[in-house]
Amino acid sequence: MAFFEADDPAGPPRLNGEVVFDEPWESRSFAMAAALVDEGCFGWDDFRDHLIAAVQAWESDPDGPYRYYERWQEALESITADRDIVARPEVDELAAVYAARPPGHDHDHGDHDHGHGHHDHGDHHHDHGDRGSGS
């Protein structure tokens, strides 16, 4: 299987045929799985099996509301552990490091503007077009 078909019940949420994400971490988890598939670490069929197992585990003992990408992340953690791609203690350690970072830590504006309200312009100029002069 190349990827989840649009009508696959295990497939990711879609809007107008496009995969959608509610939170940035969801798209990152999705991208990690896709990168590992691209690298040949596992196939989508194998990942799908882990995802179905994660969904079934949640269904047998629901812990809060169902969130698709939480099951996706569980499947990603499960398959990477099963394949010895990354060790669980290493995942926990890296997760703690990333969780401790402040919001926006991985976003360097350099010399660009994409309109999401940053006002510390430093020594570079932002072109605000018809939004007025903001620098």
Side-chain angles (χ1 to χ4, degrees):
M1 168 157 89
F3 184 65
F4 295 91
E5 299 297 326
D7 60 349
D8 187 336
R14 295 177 186 260
L15 180 63
N16 295 325
E18 299 294 323
V19 176
V20 293
F21 310 98
D22 289 329
E23 301 287 336
W25 72 266
E26 296 172 348
S27 63
R28 292 178 185 136
S29 181
F30 182 89
M32 283 188 276
L36 290 168
V37 167
D38 287 348
E39 290 296 316
C41 297
F42 51 82
W44 282 120
D45 285 337
D46 295 331
F47 182 81
R48 183 177 185 274
D49 292 343
H50 283 260
L51 180 57
I52 290 169
V55 170
Q56 289 172 339
W58 180 87
E59 288 175 339
S60 68
D61 187 21
D63 182 22
Y66 179 80
R67 291 192 167 81
Y68 178 83
Y69 284 108
E70 287 179 4
R71 307 297 77 79
W72 180 281
Q73 182 63 31
E74 290 167 3
L76 182 58
E77 291 173 9
S78 171
I79 197 167
T80 56
D82 284 358
R83 303 284 175 105
D84 289 325
I85 295 169
V86 64
R88 182 68 194 184
E90 186 178 354
V91 170
D92 291 342
E93 181 181 326
L94 289 171
V97 168
Y98 282 106
R101 290 182 174 179
H105 71 277
D106 60 350
H107 191 86
D108 179 18
H109 286 280
D111 63 354
H112 71 279
D113 174 32
H114 44 89
H116 59 136
H118 297 284
H119 299 289
D120 180 13
H121 295 164
D123 62 353
H124 63 275
H125 173 74
H126 289 261
D127 180 11
H128 293 278
D130 63 352
R131 291 182 292 174
S133 64
S135 50

